[in-house]
Amino acid sequence: MKARRNKKQLPSFRKLLKTSKVKLENKLKNKQFKQQSTLKKYRKEQRKLRQAVKDAVSKKPVPLEDPKDKRRGKRIERKEEEEEEALPLDMMDEDDLQLMKDLGQRASFLTRDLSSSEPVHTKKRKHERIIDKYEKMPRTLQAAPEKELIHLLPIKDKSGIIPQTREKPVINSNKDEEDQEEEMELEEEITEDPIRELTVEEHLIERRKKLQEKKLHIASLASAIISDPESNIKKLKELRSMLMEQDPDVAVTVRKLVIVSLMELFKDITPSYKIRPLTEAEKSTKMRKETQKLREFEEGLVSQYKFYLENLEQMVKDWKQRKLKKSNVVSLKAYKGLAEVAVKSLCELLVALPHFNFHNNIIVLIVPLMNDISKSISEMCCEAVKKLFKQDKLGQASLGVIKVISGFVKGRNYEVRPEMLKTFLCLRIKEVEVKKDTEDINKPKRFMTFKEKRKTLSRMQRKWKKAEEKLERELREAEASESTEKKLKLHTETLNIVFVTYFRILKKAQRSPLLPAVLEGLAKFAHLINVEFFDDLLVVLHTLIESGDLSYQESLHCVQTAFHILSGQGDVLNIDPMKFYTHLYKTLFKLHAGATNEGIETVLQCLDVMLTKRRKQVSQQRALAFIKRLCTLALHVLPNSSIGILATTRILMHTFPKTDLLLDSESQGSGVFLPELDEPEYCNAQNTALWELHALRRHYHPVVQRFASHLIAGAPSEGSEALKPELSRRSAAELFEAYSMAAMTFNPPVESSNPKMKSKVLQGDSFLNEDLNQLINRHCNEVVTQSPLDFAKYLETSLQ
């Protein structure tokens, strides 16, 4: 017969899941309480036993019968000693001897107080304590050293607990001496054969082997994770544990490799959505195996990603604090290298995973490093933030970064690097606002209602129309990843924070090195500023220019900002910015071929906004004065700057056709041209000519020559004097960049010319005069004498 199965089976995993959390906690608490109570009882019993043993040892009882001993020699000696001690008993009475024998047969004789006259088996009184009883026993001084005792299980009788002990067997001293001799011999052998010290080459070879093994291990783990992330997610922990490599030979290199490998792994296996923590209800619900596997993968990924970021943060903190750790595996010099790799990984994750968990934590780590003392780390972080701004279409990540930067700048009292604020120029807000305007103009198509379809369409047409509308809706949902309203809301909040930061610096830190970045940012986003602030902002800009505290580049940014404001929503304002025109006209000659050549690009942008885009508000006298001054400026700047200025002059001549009178030598009207006057309206520029173009026609740069010839001919769009498409279709700023001299190369390159071959090559004395050759030969052939030299004599002979 088959054996009956045990009906009481272990609960299944599903039943365990159904058990409530409260019940499990109560069970755990009861289990812990039982363990604690049993532990307390055990400790109490051990304490009592130790006390009893201690009291018994202090008495030094002599055992009645010798325990079994294997050594026969000792047993014989003890018998002889007993015979010698037994001799005095012959002198005792028979009654006394019988009493001693009876007492010796009783076990309680050892623990009994011999000084008392109580009977042996009297009942124990309740008030009597064991400690008091032992205290009455006489104490003896221990002359001999105490022997080590082995405590055995005690015996309990009517008198109480009787401890049992046994002496620890003494190890023969001869054996100890032999062991010591063996140890000495081993030590001598060790000292005779010391570990051979490796040379530098052998040490490098050993290090290369170790490093190769570590690299292969890292590569195997990484390939396994990439091949099947859900199954091998636990290997991430193994790979992350290598961040704590303890081998001093390869610790720094291995840690750097693991940092970069983990960064690339997270970029590859991270999903395109944010993983949120599960609720209690979701954890308790049943799910399929695939769902459970996915949840385990997500939880493991998030936890390992969090620990990885904490490790990177700790590396940066160790470098900042410059505190050497207890292990001393990594030196202080290597901390900076590890920190740079950690910051590089954080920057990559900031750009690559803006949608994933802990992105705000990465922002909080990166933003203070943008203002770091180390230039390489600061530039690395600023470039990462710029890249994030450029690729962020929605604006969620950009808003988070802008908030942290604004708070950091305010907390440091505006004493930060200007590069932090220059990152604001990479925001994509302007493009989204343009898209919004086009969407408002081209409103989305409205679908027909059911009543309209029934009135105008037949049954088949309604059927086709329904299918078309369904398809259009699906296409529209596929194209629109995020709603325009959400984008607009995020961008509006971002711009508000940016402008608050800019206005605070304009108000509180006007002499700060951040001012150029602020003015440049205002120039870019001025069309988005509320019209209510325009008057106050223009007054502030003009005050800054008139104060004289600004550099030339900063004053140019002020002019550029003012005209960007007036070219956008400021068209509705009745403001004449004549002061800004005068300032630019007056300061144009501060540009030259030296350090201020960098301001040419800003000047070209200002001229485009001031003259070309505001052509209706610019008078002919103002245009003539600027054209004349620009042609004069083109004579003493670098070739790329001359090309940009001449390209701007060409655009102005097309924008204001009547300015071609400057190509004629005859004067127009009364007055004389006053080049030193700072007012462009009253310098009588109509009574001069562009004679500078004839000088530029003979310029060493071929493109400058081409532009000068083109302008002398009246800047025609067709004919032999017309420009090529690669020159005419590009803006002045693009031409300035294209022909830049920053790389110290001539653009276009100079053609190499072949020198003419000389028929006769002069060598040696042929370079010298004939008379000089004769004099040299005559003096060389004379016999050397020991007579003293008379320089006056030789001088007279040479003069004759």
Side-chain angles (χ1 to χ4, degrees):
M1 290 179 68
K2 294 182 180 180
R4 292 180 65 185
R5 291 183 181 178
N6 189 10
K7 292 183 179 180
K8 190 177 181 182
Q9 295 180 353
L10 293 172
S12 63
F13 182 69
R14 290 184 178 178
K15 287 184 178 180
L16 286 174
L17 283 177
K18 289 180 180 179
T19 309
S20 64
K21 190 176 180 181
V22 178
K23 193 173 180 181
L24 289 174
E25 288 178 356
N26 292 337
K27 283 184 178 181
L28 184 62
K29 287 179 181 177
N30 293 335
K31 189 176 180 182
Q32 291 176 352
F33 181 73
K34 285 180 181 178
Q35 289 176 354
Q36 290 175 1
S37 60
T38 52
L39 191 63
K40 284 181 181 178
K41 289 180 181 178
Y42 176 74
R43 286 176 181 170
K44 195 173 181 181
E45 290 177 359
Q46 288 293 321
R47 202 179 299 118
K48 287 182 179 180
L49 179 61
R50 280 196 298 271
Q51 185 65 35
V53 168
K54 187 177 178 183
D55 296 336
V57 168
S58 63
K59 278 177 59 177
K60 290 253 177 209
V62 179
L64 295 176
E65 296 179 0
D66 191 35
K68 292 180 181 179
D69 198 351
K70 294 180 182 179
R71 297 178 187 178
R72 191 172 290 177
K74 287 185 178 181
R75 204 178 286 171
I76 293 165
E77 291 175 358
R78 278 179 189 161
K79 285 181 180 179
E80 291 175 355
E81 289 175 358
E82 286 175 0
E83 288 175 357
E84 291 176 357
E85 290 175 355
L87 288 174
L89 294 175
D90 295 339
M91 300 173 70
M92 296 177 66
D93 295 335
E94 292 181 3
D95 296 334
D96 295 336
L97 184 62
Q98 186 65 31
L99 178 62
M100 292 296 293
K101 285 181 180 178
D102 294 336
L103 290 172
Q105 296 298 323
R106 295 175 184 175
S108 61
F109 178 71
L110 297 174
T111 56
R112 183 174 166 229
D113 189 0
L114 298 177
S115 61
S116 64
S117 58
E118 294 178 1
V120 178
H121 295 291
T122 54
K123 290 184 180 181
K124 187 180 178 182
R125 296 177 183 176
K126 292 183 180 180
H127 64 275
E128 189 176 4
R129 294 181 181 178
I130 298 173
I131 296 173
D132 298 337
K133 186 177 179 181
Y134 283 116
E135 285 293 329
K136 295 175 184 178
M137 292 182 183
R139 286 162 175 75
T140 58
L141 293 172
Q142 296 178 359
E146 290 186 1
K147 295 182 180 180
E148 294 187 19
L149 298 176
I150 300 173
H151 300 291
L152 304 177
L153 290 173
I155 300 171
K156 187 176 181 182
D157 64 352
K158 293 181 179 180
S159 63
I161 296 172
I162 304 171
Q164 299 289 320
T165 58
R166 183 179 177 182
E167 291 184 4
K168 192 174 183 181
V170 181
I171 301 170
N172 194 1
S173 61
N174 295 330
K175 289 185 179 180
D176 293 343
E177 291 176 0
E178 290 175 2
D179 293 340
Q180 288 178 0
E181 289 176 0
E182 289 177 1
E183 288 177 1
M184 291 293 289
E185 289 175 1
L186 288 172
E187 288 178 359
E188 288 175 359
E189 289 177 3
I190 292 167
T191 52
E192 286 174 1
D193 299 329
I195 299 171
R196 188 172 63 85
E197 293 184 0
L198 298 175
T199 61
V200 177
E201 294 179 357
E202 291 173 346
H203 188 73
L204 289 173
I205 292 169
E206 189 69 22
R207 182 182 179 277
R208 199 176 295 117
K209 287 181 181 177
K210 289 180 183 177
L211 199 57
Q212 189 64 25
E213 291 176 0
K214 295 290 183 181
K215 284 181 180 178
L216 291 173
H217 187 49
I218 292 169
S220 62
L221 289 173
S223 60
I225 294 167
I226 289 176
S227 61
D228 191 2
E230 292 186 2
S231 302
N232 300 321
I233 192 65
K234 292 183 179 179
K235 292 189 177 181
L236 265 178
K237 185 178 181 180
E238 184 180 352
L239 184 58
R240 192 178 57 80
S241 65
M242 295 180 73
L243 285 172
M244 299 294 112
E245 179 63 40
Q246 297 300 319
D247 191 350
D249 291 339
V250 295
V252 178
T253 309
V254 169
R255 291 184 185 188
K256 289 180 180 179
L257 291 172
V258 173
I259 289 170
V260 177
S261 303
L262 283 169
M263 180 260 294
E264 294 294 338
L265 278 173
F266 283 121
K267 284 167 66 176
D268 290 338
I269 66 175
T270 303
S272 59
Y273 53 87
K274 189 173 183 178
I275 298 172
R276 62 173 180 81
L278 298 175
T279 61
E280 294 295 332
E282 289 173 340
K283 289 179 181 178
S284 60
T285 54
K286 295 181 181 179
M287 63 191 79
R288 294 184 298 173
K289 290 183 178 179
E290 293 82 4
T291 311
Q292 180 65 25
K293 189 176 181 181
L294 180 62
R295 282 188 178 179
E296 290 175 357
F297 164 72
E298 289 177 347
E299 288 176 0
L301 179 64
V302 169
S303 64
Q304 293 302 319
Y305 186 59
K306 178 185 175 184
F307 292 139
Y308 173 64
L309 293 178
E310 288 176 353
N311 291 335
L312 296 183
E313 183 184 7
Q314 190 61 43
M315 286 179 186
V316 178
K317 282 183 179 179
D318 291 342
W319 171 60
K320 289 288 183 187
Q321 296 172 356
R322 302 186 185 280
K323 289 183 180 179
L324 194 63
K325 293 196 172 181
K326 293 179 182 179
S327 60
N328 291 334
V329 175
V330 180
S331 62
L332 282 172
K333 293 180 180 179
Y335 276 8
K336 185 177 181 182
L338 282 171
E340 285 181 352
V341 178
V343 172
K344 179 71 175 175
S345 301
L346 285 170
C347 292
E348 290 286 335
L349 295 173
L350 177 77
V351 177
L353 304 176
H355 57 276
F356 197 58
N357 300 51
F358 309 114
H359 190 256
N360 291 333
N361 302 75
I362 299 175
I363 292 171
V364 173
L365 285 175
I366 291 291
V367 169
L369 294 174
M370 293 170 68
N371 192 43
D372 196 74
I373 301 171
S374 176
K375 190 176 179 182
S376 59
I377 289 180
S378 175
E379 289 178 353
M380 197 190 303
C381 296
C382 290
E383 288 299 321
V385 172
K386 287 180 182 178
K387 198 172 179 182
L388 177 66
F389 286 163
K390 288 177 182 177
Q391 73 176 26
D392 187 19
K393 295 180 180 179
L394 177 61
Q396 184 72 43
S398 301
L399 177 60
V401 177
I402 291 293
K403 282 181 178 179
V404 180
I405 291 177
S406 178
F408 183 80
V409 171
K410 185 182 178 184
R412 289 296 182 93
N413 200 17
Y414 312 104
E415 294 180 1
V416 296
R417 286 177 177 264
E419 287 79 9
M420 288 189 72
L421 293 185
K422 286 184 179 179
T423 56
F424 291 177
L425 301 174
C426 298
L427 290 168
R428 296 187 61 179
I429 297 174
K430 186 176 180 180
E431 297 175 5
V432 175
E433 291 293 328
V434 172
K435 288 179 183 177
K436 176 183 175 297
D437 294 340
T438 55
E439 286 173 5
D440 287 343
I441 294 168
N442 303 321
K443 290 185 179 180
K445 185 178 178 182
R446 189 179 68 85
F447 296 110
M448 296 176 68
T449 60
F450 180 74
K451 290 182 178 179
E452 291 174 349
K453 289 178 186 177
R454 195 165 186 178
K455 287 180 180 178
T456 56
L457 302 176
S458 63
R459 187 175 180 182
M460 282 299 296
Q461 287 175 337
R462 288 200 299 271
K463 197 172 183 180
W464 279 103
K465 194 71 175 175
K466 186 177 180 181
E468 286 178 2
E469 288 176 356
K470 184 179 179 182
L471 182 61
E472 284 182 12
R473 285 194 186 95
E474 290 176 356
L475 289 172
R476 190 178 294 177
E477 288 175 1
E479 288 175 0
S481 57
E482 293 289 343
S483 63
T484 312
E485 293 179 1
K486 189 176 180 181
K487 284 183 182 180
L488 184 60
K489 186 178 179 181
L490 289 171
H491 290 160
T492 305
E493 190 176 354
T494 305
L495 262 183
N496 289 337
I497 298 170
V498 169
F499 285 139
V500 164
T501 307
Y502 284 164
F503 293 155
R504 278 177 182 165
I505 295 170
L506 281 176
K507 184 178 179 181
K508 298 180 181 179
Q510 293 185 355
R511 295 187 180 181
S512 170
L514 301 176
L515 195 59
V518 170
L519 296 172
E520 197 173 352
L522 285 172
K524 180 172 182 179
F525 303 116
H527 63 287
L528 302 172
I529 302 175
N530 196 342
V531 184
E532 297 174 358
F533 301 112
F534 280 3
D535 289 335
D536 297 333
L537 193 54
L538 287 173
V539 170
V540 171
L541 294 174
H542 186 261
T543 307
L544 287 172
I545 292 172
E546 292 296 325
S547 65
D549 297 331
L550 304 182
S551 64
Y552 183 59
Q553 188 80 12
E554 293 171 357
S555 64
L556 289 177
H557 283 307
C558 282
V559 174
Q560 187 182 7
T561 305
F563 282 97
H564 271 292
I565 291 171
L566 295 173
S567 63
Q569 303 176 41
D571 287 338
V572 297
L573 300 175
N574 188 14
I575 299 173
D576 184 18
M578 185 61 194
K579 296 176 182 178
F580 296 103
Y581 280 105
T582 304
H583 175 74
L584 183 64
Y585 182 80
K586 180 173 62 176
T587 57
L588 272 178
F589 284 144
K590 287 187 178 181
L591 299 170
H592 50 75
T596 56
N597 187 60
E598 298 175 356
I600 294 285
E601 188 175 6
T602 311
V603 167
L604 296 176
Q605 294 172 0
C606 289
L607 291 169
D608 182 47
V609 178
M610 295 166 66
L611 300 174
T612 308
K613 293 183 178 178
R614 289 176 59 87
R615 60 176 65 92
K616 294 180 180 180
Q617 287 88 1
V618 178
S619 63
Q620 185 178 349
Q621 290 292 331
R622 199 179 296 177
L624 288 169
F626 270 101
I627 290 172
K628 174 63 179 175
R629 183 148 288 197
L630 287 174
C631 289
T632 308
L633 178 63
L635 291 172
H636 53 268
V637 289
L638 292 177
N640 61 325
S641 304
S642 294
I643 294 168
I645 290 169
L646 293 175
T648 303
T649 306
R650 174 179 174 270
I651 294 169
L652 291 176
M653 292 178 74
H654 286 169
T655 307
F656 304 97
K658 292 183 181 180
T659 55
D660 60 352
L661 59 89
L662 292 173
L663 303 174
D664 193 357
S665 59
E666 294 182 3
S667 60
Q668 299 287 332
S670 61
V672 180
F673 175 59
L674 303 172
E676 70 280 358
L677 193 66
D678 294 335
E679 296 290 338
E681 294 285 347
Y682 310 111
C683 64
N684 298 324
Q686 73 278 2
N687 293 324
T688 185
L690 300 177
W691 55 267
E692 295 88 357
L693 295 177
H694 291 278
L696 292 169
R697 200 174 185 179
R698 296 187 294 273
H699 199 276
Y700 63 88
H701 200 285
V703 181
V704 177
Q705 294 177 13
R706 189 78 194 97
F707 263 102
S709 301
H710 173 69
L711 292 175
I712 288 172
S717 57
E718 295 179 354
S720 59
E721 295 296 334
L723 292 176
K724 293 180 180 179
E726 60 266 18
L727 296 177
S728 61
R729 292 179 181 177
R730 299 166 87 174
S731 65
E734 291 174 352
L735 290 169
F736 173 77
E737 289 291 333
Y739 294 97
S740 174
M741 306 289 287
M744 300 301 291
T745 54
F746 195 76
N747 188 11
V750 181
E751 296 180 1
S752 59
S753 59
N754 295 324
K756 296 180 180 179
M757 297 296 292
K758 294 183 179 180
S759 58
K760 187 178 180 182
V761 180
L762 299 176
Q763 292 181 354
D765 298 339
S766 59
F767 289 102
L768 302 176
N769 193 4
E770 292 182 3
D771 297 336
L772 183 61
N773 281 332
Q774 290 176 5
L775 183 63
I776 291 170
N777 291 329
R778 183 162 58 83
H779 281 285
C780 290
N781 294 329
E782 288 182 358
V783 180
V784 179
T785 58
Q786 297 296 329
S787 59
L789 296 175
D790 189 359
F791 292 101
K793 178 184 176 182
Y794 284 103
L795 184 61
E796 290 174 0
T797 55
S798 62
L799 289 172
Q800 291 176 2

